[in-house]
Amino acid sequence: MPRTTALDPLFTAVDSGSFTDRHLANLAAGTLAAVRVPGFLNSSACAAALAALDRLPTADYDPARVPAPIVRFGPALNDFRDQDGQLDSGRYWRDAGAARAAWQRAGMRPDPIAVSMARLGSAWGAAVTPATIGGRASSAARCARSTPGPWSTMTT
């Protein structure tokens, strides 16, 4: 039986040996906060990814929007919304392209995003791909860390 951590009676985090379609459905529905899968990336792939992250350009979140000190790599769509809630596509695509190029230059092999998408697709039963906007793939390479110092965990 997987270990469950209650963060809120309707919003929990679960430890599991692998992702299932149920986990993904509950994450999408907002009834599950997180699924922690130790060993999702093997040790060498995880070490290579974490080492490469130190070579990526990072930025802080806007402290007015996110008060916690979180450093991130890659664009988040909501950071490119104008006052009317519309996407500032020129800025977003420029930054997404720069992030994609930096991700490729970092040379993570295997690419943790590709591995993650493949494993999530296996759990879901269908291919997982980045969201598209007007037929263009959005940036899937986005990582954040909430502690200062070296990267110790990675969220994508």
Side-chain angles (χ1 to χ4, degrees), residues 78-103:
N78 286 334
D79 291 344
F80 294 86
R81 302 269 177 213
D82 63 22
Q83 292 178 337
D84 297 323
Q86 299 299 310
L87 180 65
D88 179 346
S89 59
R91 271 189 335 118
Y92 174 75
W93 291 119
R94 183 192 67 232
D95 286 11
R100 191 172 287 112
W103 188 266

Side-chain angles (χ1 to χ4, degrees), residues 105-116:
R105 279 191 309 274
M108 290 178 259
R109 298 294 175 262
D111 181 333
I113 299 294
V115 170
S116 298

